Amino acid sequence: MLFAQIMVNGLLLGGLYGLMALGMALVWGVLNIVNLAHGAVVMLGGYCVYFLFTGAGIDPFAALPIAMVVMFALGYLLQRYVLNLIIRSAQLNTLLITFGLDVVLTYLAQLAFSADFRAINPSYAGANLTWMGVTIPLVRLGAFVTALILAGLLWALLQRTRLGRAIRATAQNLVAARLYGVNPAQLYAVTFGLGAALAGAAGGLYGMVSQVTPYVGAALTAKSFVITIMGGLENPFGILLGGVFIGIAEALAAIYIGPTFTDAISFGLLLLILVARPARSLRGA
Amino acid sequence: MSAGAQPMLEARGLTRRFHGLYAVNDVSFTLQPGEILGLIGPNGAGKTTLINLISGTLFADQGELIFEDRRIERLHPYQRAHIGIGRTFQVMKPFPRLSVLENVTVGALFGFGGGERNRDKAREQARALLEFTGLDRRMDQNADQLGGPDRKRLELAKALAMRPKLLLLDEVMAGLNHVEVDEVVTIIKKIRDSGVTILVIEHVMRAIRSLSDRIIVLHHGEKIAEGLPDTVLADARVVEAYLGKRRA
Amino acid sequence: MGRLLAATLAALVMSLPVMGHAQTKTVTLGAALQITGPDGNLGRYFRDGYQIAVDRINEQGGLTIGGQNYRIALKILDSQTDLNLSVQQYGQLVTRDKVDFLLGPYNSNFTLNDSVIAEKYKVPMVSGGAAAAQIYSRGYKYIFGTSPPADNYFGSTLEMMTKLDPQPKKIALLVADDAFDVSVRAGVRALSAKDGFELVVDQVFKEHNADFGSLLSLTKSKSPDVILMGGHETESLNFIRQAKSLDVNPHHMMALTVGVPSADFRSALGKDAEYAFGMTPWMASPVIRDRWFGDAQKFAELFHRKLGYEADYHVASAVADVETFAYALEAAGSLDRDAVRDAIAKSDFESLYATIRYGETGQIDIPQIVIQVQDGKVVPVYTDHFLNKPRYPVPTWAKR
Amino acid sequence: MVRAILLILAVVFLAAAPFFGDAVMIQYGIDALLFATLAQAWNILGGFTGYASFGNSAFYGLGTYGTAIAMAQLHLPFWVGLSLGAFLAVLCAVVIGLPILRLRGHYFAIATLGLSATLAAIISNLDISGRNIGLILPLTRNDVGFYEEALALLVASTLTVMWIAKSRFGMGLIAIREDEDAAQVMGINTTFYKVVALMLSAFFTAIAGGIHAYWITFIDPASAFDLSLNVRMVIMAMFGGPGTVLGPVVGSFILSAVYDALARSISTAAALLFGMVIVLAVIFMPRGLWDLGHGLRQVGWRYFLQNIRLHRL
């Protein structure tokens, strides 16, 4: 019974992890930017939902789309007017600039919202249902389903729409993208915006199961890294699967190895996977 | 090609697949000391892959490579460079933010036998080679500021600086005008006369005909013809596979 | 540059009144606090606590040291929760800003590092926010602390548990792996062996852990009577919310080392904070007398009026730190650091925080008052006897 | 020649500085010198081969813990601790360097990041390293001594880089940075070269960590394996000029001073401004001060616009 419960915990948590990594994987795969400010955007999404909930009384799940729009706008502007300026610069420079952005966003959040922690706490936050002796927290279930829906939407967008095809073509090479008649600067900004929107949704959900402070970003960025590497850059559902894998691995490790080993496990797995993969398949990316 | 002569390089049944498709399939040939062997074939025939297999940039899935009595198919690229195999790249790989002189100095510092240990001496050797290839005017420019023809020359000078016994040339004349092609042909002949064995991939037929002692033809990864230039270029299969395709 | 200028001007203006009284001298206390950065929400308690104490003492005529009238000045720097910067800033306070004495930063880790500066330069430091045993067990002579020892945090809670009906037997103990909480754990293990409690769960989790799913499920499967949890506020908050969503109910009660006394924490939890047991070494009670503020309750009211939020034990502890210097300076009769250091070691006075007496190692030892959230308010329940009736046993999440 | 004399004068000046400056200057100096060493050590691999390591904080942590374990747990002298730390770091560089130096670009960066996080997590679970609580080293009141040690280490690492920049070995590293495939076929044993560069980098980083540990007297996993420390090494090296001899040193001195001044005068917004400085620096001078110097001399202020034109989409 404990085992089943642990598996369910890991699965549900993993869905949220996966959603968190989805935006990072999209931006990484298409724009070849490893966005160190990703966690900061997740954090801002959390604040967004928090204020919509406490300030305007909007249900947190209903507030998710609004937060996504706001984060899309932020992501669009960041890419269009900052990141696009250095996109052809050395690869390390994209890491550095997104690190700088992470610092800026974090400290702006600290100035605007203070270091107090904010939990998004709707009346049903602690509700759960029991099924065959396993307790399923409703909010986490909701988060998991949301992750599935958003991954599905992203998949459909990439596969079924003209915009999506242009984005995928960009991932292959920039020249191909021009054939779709899309302005690459615009396309880059839209892609980054989509990534930010997904991060924003993840942030809202994260605030419901945990809490938001200006400083949660770095840990979430690190987690997203691990999952992105696990899931690969190709398929949104692969990313979700990566998240679930890490979620379950951590949940099991906490019980059967020791709760202080969760980080050792997830980062150890990251290292192992990178080292074990055939070198050629990782080259140049 | 007398049976008694010791070949510089011998390939036996070289095979390399990508995602299940054969890029090079069961190719065998020999290369005699002091010879210039032309390697031709249509785009995608596996020419560059073959050079990659010889230089070690890629490992063969099957087959043997014998260089001067020595099995080399499992050697790393740098080890092959140390025993005297040098190459150029079709997609040129200069060190973009180094000067032309430094680019060539790298070749002299490493290459055959591990190269020259002293950086000053290596630089002197490089300077001499730049004069030989006609690049001495551009010595202090960064490699990424060179135009196409000069880049080709640089590619050649870098490979020569390694003092190779066997030189693999991958389309060093593509994009050059007539005058420039003739210059390069002269240079290559001079290189051969200095005792270097050469394998050359080329699309410029005029050049390949005048350069090569022998020619082999690849098509879909397989060797379809081998022999003297005039004979091979008249071969019906070659005309169909290669020339025919070019005209289409 | 403009800001720098403004800051300089402000400093000049502030120092004007002092210059006005030719006979009044100044003694300066310095601290590098976590005003911004991840610890910013607790760092500000210390900033505000130090400031209100200094202001109050000055308003009431300052101090008389060796027959000379003194005012206290306070120099506070923001370490931005950057450990390296914090050490540097303490060095700067001592050697460049020439402060006379040091007040501590928040949290054990920073104090461990910063007290090295105090020891190096032989400047007494009184710290209000560091309980870990390690700080005081190094044999350092210049560090004093007004946080009670971590290993006794659950002491009064366990004592209370022996007197409750129904009597709890099985304890689930979950603590973070930082210095403070590991000391807490050692204390609970020793005490529960003595009092005959059984530790059915005894787990250490990673500091800053955000997900307690596995640990809570494990706890649930062992059906303990009591859950004792030790971690930072963020961890405690996650722990309670996730306990609810996973329907984890100890049979009788749940108690936490930190969080319950802080308004920020309770408001983030809302109704879910109800029934939680916690602890504080301090309550805003009118029976605790103080030379400058009258009593603890009056202090709390003044603090709320001035700062707009509720004082908790961090603030009271910070005030006690300043008062320690006030008393010690008057006792020493000079600003000589070694004389003041010896006077601090001999401290024995009533403050709004507690009776201040430093032990052998320099750390104060005062009991924790067990508190419980009842109808949204913090109610003191137990010290060495019951103060108020605890709501016990605690109902399950479903029955609330 | 003039340059050599100037450099020697600069070192003599720095060595004499603590006898004239006050205690804060010395303290600030120790930090700045150690940071410069870290930037210089990062430069050996990152600047010359272009492999951006985020695992130097792992070497720093190993140096820190080697020293601390030797001194606090085994009661051995400082120099034994330093050697132990350096040995552990260099060993780690060899063992882990072989597999991860095959990875390129972002994948290498992330693998090294994973290395650092994994080591931190392991250290925080070991008894000998004091678990997550950390270790306390004996207190020494000798900041001038620490200052001179830090300076000596910086000089040693800079001399090493100077040698690299002039040697055949360094030429090999640079060739790897410029085009690794080409470097290989030209006869450079790229794996060997990269591993040696990583080992050198690990060595100096670990020693810096050990000195810092003894100076600060308290270490724990969070401070020993601090990722932001690694990011600072990268920023300082990049700001000064990666792959140059003095760029990382000058860059880190300038950034340390800027950060210090910001933190002192406008405390609260310092980190925010520092973040903005990074963003602006990447946009307007992506190749560091050295290149900026050349660029300004050649094209003046248009250098900044030229960078944008060169690197924008």
Side-chain angles (χ1 to χ4, degrees):
Chain A
M1 192 51 63
L2 177 59
F3 182 76
Q5 179 72 55
I6 300 292
M7 291 297 284
V8 169
N9 292 348
L11 176 76
L12 295 183
L13 179 65
L16 179 54
Y17 280 176
L19 178 58
M20 228 178 268
L22 215 48
M24 171 177 271
L26 177 70
V27 168
W28 186 346
V30 176
L31 311 184
N32 200 21
I33 294 174
V34 173
N35 180 14
L36 293 179
H38 184 74
V41 181
V42 174
M43 174 268 293
L44 289 178
Y47 274 109
C48 208
V49 172
Y50 173 83
F51 286 114
L52 286 167
F53 171 60
T54 55
I58 302 171
D59 181 87
F61 277 100
L64 285 184
I66 308 175
M68 287 177 73
V69 171
V70 175
M71 288 303 119
F72 177 88
L74 175 74
Y76 182 93
L77 294 175
L78 277 182
Q79 179 71 38
R80 186 85 205 237
Y81 297 106
V82 182
L83 294 175
N84 270 351
L85 296 182
I86 57 114
I87 204 82
R88 288 191 296 145
S89 175
Q91 212 171 30
L92 182 57
N93 279 334
T94 62
L95 279 179
L96 286 182
I97 199 167
T98 56
F99 175 81
L101 287 175
D102 177 71
V103 173
V104 170
L105 293 178
T106 300
Y107 280 86
L108 282 180
Q110 141 102 46
L111 286 181
F113 312 131
S114 86
D116 290 352
F117 37 73
R118 320 274 184 164
I120 301 167
N121 217 352
S123 57
Y124 52 82
N128 50 58
L129 48 93
T130 305
W131 182 65
M132 303 208 348
V134 173
T135 307
I136 300 171
L138 276 183
V139 167
R140 291 201 177 205
L141 185 64
F144 186 80
V145 173
T146 308
L148 275 181
I149 294 173
L150 287 175
L153 287 176
L154 179 63
W155 183 84
L157 175 84
L158 289 178
Q159 300 295 326
R160 297 271 180 270
T161 67
R162 191 180 153 76
L163 174 68
R165 278 191 288 270
I167 288 176
R168 281 188 297 133
T170 306
Q172 301 304 320
N173 77 53
L174 202 55
V175 185
R178 289 182 204 271
L179 299 180
Y180 281 85
V182 191
N183 171 8
Q186 185 89 1
L187 193 70
Y188 269 46
V190 168
T191 308
F192 198 87
L194 284 174
L198 290 166
L205 296 170
Y206 186 78
M208 276 187 260
V209 304
S210 184
Q211 75 246 316
V212 187
T213 75
Y215 306 100
V216 292
L220 302 182
T221 303
K223 194 126 272 171
S224 304
F225 268 155
V226 177
I227 294 159
T228 305
I229 296 289
M230 297 278 160
L233 301 173
E234 310 295 325
N235 184 337
F237 292 106
I239 297 290
L240 278 199
L241 216 60
V244 167
F245 180 74
I246 285 294
I248 290 178
E250 285 190 0
L252 291 177
I255 290 290
Y256 299 107
I257 302 177
T260 51
F261 282 91
T262 48
D263 280 3
I265 294 299
S266 50
F267 287 109
L269 277 173
L270 166 79
L271 204 54
L272 210 66
I273 287 200
L274 280 174
V275 167
R277 268 200 210 181
R280 299 273 169 181
S281 73
L282 297 173
R283 281 227 168 143
Chain B
M1 294 7 65
S2 61
Q6 162 75 48
M8 177 75 83
L9 179 81
E10 182 174 1
R12 293 185 195 142
L14 279 187
T15 300
R16 169 75 197 202
R17 290 176 293 266
F18 293 117
H19 308 295
L21 295 174
Y22 286 91
V24 170
N25 189 5
D26 196 22
V27 171
S28 305
F29 65 93
T30 58
L31 195 50
Q32 298 302 332
E35 185 181 31
I36 296 182
L37 179 65
L39 178 57
I40 61 170
N43 286 329
K47 304 183 299 291
T48 295
T49 305
L50 187 60
I51 283 206
N52 282 340
L53 293 177
I54 299 170
S55 70
T57 306
L58 290 174
F59 283 127
D61 294 323
Q62 279 154 35
E64 296 171 4
L65 265 175
I66 297 134
F67 182 79
E68 294 185 322
D69 267 345
R70 209 173 144 187
R71 292 278 294 271
I72 62 161
E73 69 268 10
R74 306 258 34 110
L75 292 188
H76 289 286
Y78 75 90
Q79 291 168 318
R80 299 191 200 189
H82 289 181
I83 59 175
I85 299 178
R87 71 168 292 183
T88 67
F89 286 91
Q90 178 192 5
V91 181
M92 288 162 290
K93 286 177 175 290
F95 302 126
R97 289 194 291 133
L98 298 188
S99 74
V100 167
L101 181 61
E102 283 170 316
N103 261 278
V104 181
T105 307
V106 172
L109 276 173
F110 298 93
F112 176 63
E116 172 61 54
R117 307 281 141 167
N118 183 317
R119 242 169 105 160
D120 292 331
K121 284 189 192 159
R123 189 170 294 128
E124 283 318 305
Q125 292 172 15
R127 223 183 280 272
L129 269 168
L130 287 175
E131 272 167 38
F132 176 65
T133 48
L135 264 178
D136 44 340
R137 291 162 295 112
R138 307 236 178 264
M139 199 142 66
D140 295 323
Q141 279 180 356
N142 272 10
D144 58 0
Q145 290 171 340
L146 293 185
D150 280 342
R151 281 186 183 219
K152 292 283 180 194
R153 287 194 188 97
L154 175 61
E155 198 64 23
L156 192 59
K158 277 169 70 184
L160 281 179
M162 295 165 63
R163 281 157 296 135
K165 294 182 187 169
L166 169 62
L167 184 59
L168 311 169
L169 299 177
D170 196 351
E171 298 205 20
V172 284
M173 289 171 254
L176 302 188
N177 65 30
H178 279 277
V179 182
E180 289 160 345
V181 164
D182 288 341
E183 274 174 30
V184 175
V185 166
T186 318
I187 290 176
I188 293 177
K189 280 186 172 156
K190 272 192 197 158
I191 296 170
R192 190 262 299 273
D193 294 342
S194 72
V196 180
T197 311
I198 294 169
L199 177 65
V200 55
I201 297 182
E202 205 44 71
H203 274 303
V204 182
M205 276 310 134
R206 196 167 56 80
I208 205 96
R209 197 188 291 265
S210 76
L211 266 179
S212 311
D213 299 317
R214 278 188 309 137
I215 287 181
I216 57 178
V217 187
L218 285 188
H219 186 43
H220 292 319
E222 292 180 32
K223 187 172 88 175
I224 56 168
E226 177 172 5
L228 297 172
D230 289 336
T231 332
V232 168
L233 291 175
D235 187 307
R237 279 178 306 169
V238 177
V239 173
E240 182 193 319
Y242 183 67
L243 304 173
K245 203 160 191 161
R246 275 186 88 208
R247 281 181 197 141
Chain C
M1 215 51 201
R3 287 229 197 169
L4 187 65
L5 203 65
T8 319
L9 280 177
L12 276 175
V13 170
M14 268 158 47
S15 58
L16 279 180
V18 181
M19 293 195 222
H21 301 266
Q23 73 279 30
T24 305
K25 291 187 168 179
T26 307
V27 52
T28 310
L29 307 180
L33 297 174
Q34 302 98 316
I35 313 285
T36 55
D39 282 345
N41 60 339
L42 283 160
R44 67 158 187 219
Y45 283 148
F46 288 89
R47 179 194 62 196
D48 296 344
Y50 292 151
Q51 191 66 55
I52 198 170
V54 165
D55 290 349
R56 186 74 175 188
I57 292 172
N58 287 340
E59 275 163 26
Q60 300 191 357
L63 301 171
T64 311
I65 304 168
Q68 192 30 272
N69 184 248
Y70 274 84
R71 293 179 159 268
I72 307 178
L74 188 60
K75 170 97 187 169
I76 288 180
L77 302 174
D78 177 8
S79 68
Q80 301 163 39
T81 321
D82 175 339
L83 197 65
N84 248 331
L85 187 59
S86 161
V87 173
Q88 255 187 39
Q89 288 179 335
Y90 270 104
Q92 181 193 334
L93 285 168
V94 173
T95 60
R96 187 165 292 171
D97 300 337
K98 308 278 186 211
V99 304
D100 297 297
F101 302 100
L102 295 173
L103 293 162
Y106 163 66
N107 109 17
S108 296
N109 229 339
F110 275 68
T111 310
L112 264 168
N113 285 274
D114 296 335
S115 54
V116 171
I117 296 293
E119 195 69 16
K120 246 182 204 172
Y121 295 102
K122 305 187 176 175
V123 184
M125 172 189 273
V126 182
S127 154
Q134 279 182 307
I135 299 167
Y136 308 99
S137 63
R138 289 175 293 183
Y140 282 15
K141 280 177 61 191
Y142 293 87
I143 173 74
F144 297 89
T146 49
S147 289
D151 54 7
N152 200 29
Y153 261 53
F154 272 123
S156 48
T157 307
L158 287 164
E159 190 183 301
M160 176 187 79
M161 280 159 53
T162 61
K163 299 182 184 168
L164 288 171
D165 180 47
Q167 231 238 281
K169 280 274 161 247
K170 295 193 283 183
I171 296 178
L173 174 64
L174 301 134
V175 300
D177 65 353
D178 58 285
F180 168 74
D181 289 296
V182 168
S183 299
V184 168
R185 174 173 181 241
V188 172
R189 283 159 67 117
L191 288 170
S192 59
K194 186 170 68 91
D195 291 339
F197 293 111
E198 184 194 350
L199 288 178
V200 290
V201 176
D202 179 7
Q203 292 277 3
V204 179
F205 56 83
K206 258 205 95 45
E207 195 181 2
H208 306 305
N209 188 24
D211 182 69
F212 291 93
S214 288
L215 281 179
L216 282 165
S217 300
L218 176 75
T219 304
K220 190 179 186 180
S221 74
K222 304 279 185 187
S223 54
D225 300 324
V226 176
I227 294 177
L228 301 181
M229 193 270 182
H232 303 296
E233 294 200 344
T234 47
E235 292 149 13
S236 306
L237 187 68
N238 278 328
F239 186 81
I240 292 190
R241 296 186 73 200
Q242 291 169 19
K244 183 181 181 193
S245 70
L246 284 166
D247 199 28
V248 178
N249 297 289
H251 291 146
H252 300 325
M253 60 179 273
M254 185 189 298
L256 308 159
T257 49
V258 302
V260 175
S262 119
D264 186 18
F265 180 83
R266 294 194 304 275
S267 78
L269 270 178
K271 272 203 233 142
D272 298 338
E274 200 62 23
Y275 302 108
F277 285 89
M279 62 191 67
T280 174
W282 177 76
M283 295 291 294
S285 147
V287 299
I288 315 178
R289 309 289 307 164
D290 185 273
R291 175 173 150 193
W292 286 280
F293 290 94
D295 61 56
Q297 190 179 23
K298 284 192 189 127
F299 163 76
E301 283 160 6
L302 177 75
F303 187 88
H304 192 267
R305 225 177 22 251
K306 278 196 161 174
L307 278 307
Y309 69 97
E310 227 178 281
D312 75 349
Y313 65 91
H314 297 106
V315 177
S317 175
V319 171
D321 297 345
V322 175
E323 291 189 1
T324 295
F325 278 115
Y327 279 104
L329 280 163
E330 292 191 330
S334 79
L335 300 195
D336 179 72
R337 283 169 176 166
D338 284 311
V340 171
R341 187 251 154 226
D342 292 340
I344 294 174
K346 291 196 206 96
S347 291
D348 187 352
F349 65 91
E350 296 287 315
S351 79
L352 60 85
Y353 174 63
T355 302
I356 304 297
R357 252 175 273 162
Y358 298 98
E360 280 288 293
T361 61
Q363 190 174 20
I364 200 172
D365 190 2
I366 50 175
Q368 295 283 353
I369 306 163
V370 180
I371 52 176
Q372 187 183 27
V373 183
Q374 297 183 359
D375 301 319
K377 288 200 192 63
V378 176
V379 176
V381 171
Y382 186 89
T383 49
D384 50 0
H385 57 283
F386 283 100
L387 302 168
N388 283 294
K389 200 171 153 13
R391 296 200 173 153
Y392 179 89
V394 168
T396 62
W397 295 109
K399 294 206 181 106
R400 290 187 185 183
Chain D
M1 204 55 214
V2 179
R3 209 178 129 195
I5 290 168
L6 278 178
L7 279 178
I8 290 168
L9 281 178
V11 170
V12 169
F13 171 77
L14 283 175
F19 301 101
F20 302 102
D22 68 353
V24 175
M25 285 256 311
I26 297 175
Q27 224 183 79
Y28 166 75
I30 295 172
D31 254 341
L33 290 170
L34 288 178
F35 265 126
T37 306
L38 292 176
Q40 188 65 287
W42 186 89
N43 184 37
I44 295 176
L45 184 76
F48 283 89
T49 70
Y51 276 76
S53 162
F54 286 84
N56 277 30
S57 57
F59 304 134
Y60 183 83
L62 287 174
T64 298
Y65 266 97
T67 306
I69 289 171
M71 294 185 74
Q73 304 284 62
L74 310 174
H75 308 291
L76 296 168
F78 176 51
W79 66 268
V80 178
L82 268 190
S83 321
L84 176 67
F87 172 75
L88 287 175
V90 172
L91 185 72
C92 172
V94 178
V95 171
I96 201 74
L98 282 174
I100 63 175
L101 279 165
R102 297 178 312 142
L103 305 170
R104 294 190 185 178
H106 289 323
Y107 288 98
F108 175 78
I110 285 174
T112 51
L113 199 139
L115 168 71
S116 173
T118 309
L119 275 179
I122 292 172
I123 290 278
S124 71
N125 278 298
L126 294 181
D127 276 324
I128 190 159
S129 53
R131 296 188 172 270
N132 194 40
I133 300 170
L135 295 171
I136 294 165
L137 288 83
L139 175 68
T140 310
R141 289 189 180 86
N142 182 10
D143 278 9
V144 176
F146 285 116
Y147 177 94
E148 301 296 353
E149 281 167 29
L151 178 63
L153 184 64
L154 176 61
V155 170
S157 60
T158 303
L159 286 177
T160 305
V161 171
M162 220 173 249
W163 168 76
I164 288 175
K166 289 198 186 312
S167 69
R168 175 169 177 266
F169 176 71
M171 206 66 221
L173 295 183
I174 292 171
I176 290 171
R177 177 186 74 202
E178 296 293 314
D179 192 311
E180 188 162 349
D181 289 329
Q184 266 211 327
V185 300
M186 291 181 80
I188 298 170
N189 184 350
T190 52
T191 310
F192 176 76
Y193 274 63
K194 287 186 291 185
V195 170
V196 171
L198 187 66
M199 285 164 67
L200 284 172
S201 184
F203 176 79
F204 289 113
T205 308
I207 301 270
I211 293 177
H212 188 260
Y214 189 28
W215 177 52
I216 204 97
T217 76
F218 172 76
I219 63 158
D220 67 352
S223 58
F225 293 90
D226 185 4
L227 174 67
S228 67
L229 183 72
N230 200 128
V231 175
R232 269 167 94 167
M233 303 174 200
V234 182
I235 290 170
M236 286 172 167
M238 295 292 290
F239 182 79
T244 63
V245 175
L246 291 177
V249 178
V250 173
S252 73
F253 281 167
I254 291 179
L255 284 184
S256 286
V258 168
Y259 189 72
D260 192 65
L262 286 176
R264 192 166 326 166
S265 55
I266 41 161
S267 199
T268 305
L272 182 63
L273 284 176
F274 198 65
M276 287 180 180
V277 168
I278 297 171
V279 172
L280 293 177
V282 171
I283 294 176
F284 291 107
M285 40 176 287
R287 291 201 204 142
L289 286 175
W290 236 241
D291 197 62
L292 173 76
H294 285 290
L296 284 183
R297 243 173 288 140
Q298 276 172 14
V299 290
W301 59 273
R302 276 187 310 254
Y303 172 79
F304 299 115
L305 296 181
Q306 190 180 310
N307 271 321
I308 292 184
R309 218 171 299 126
L310 212 60
H311 298 122
R312 77 171 168 212
L313 190 60

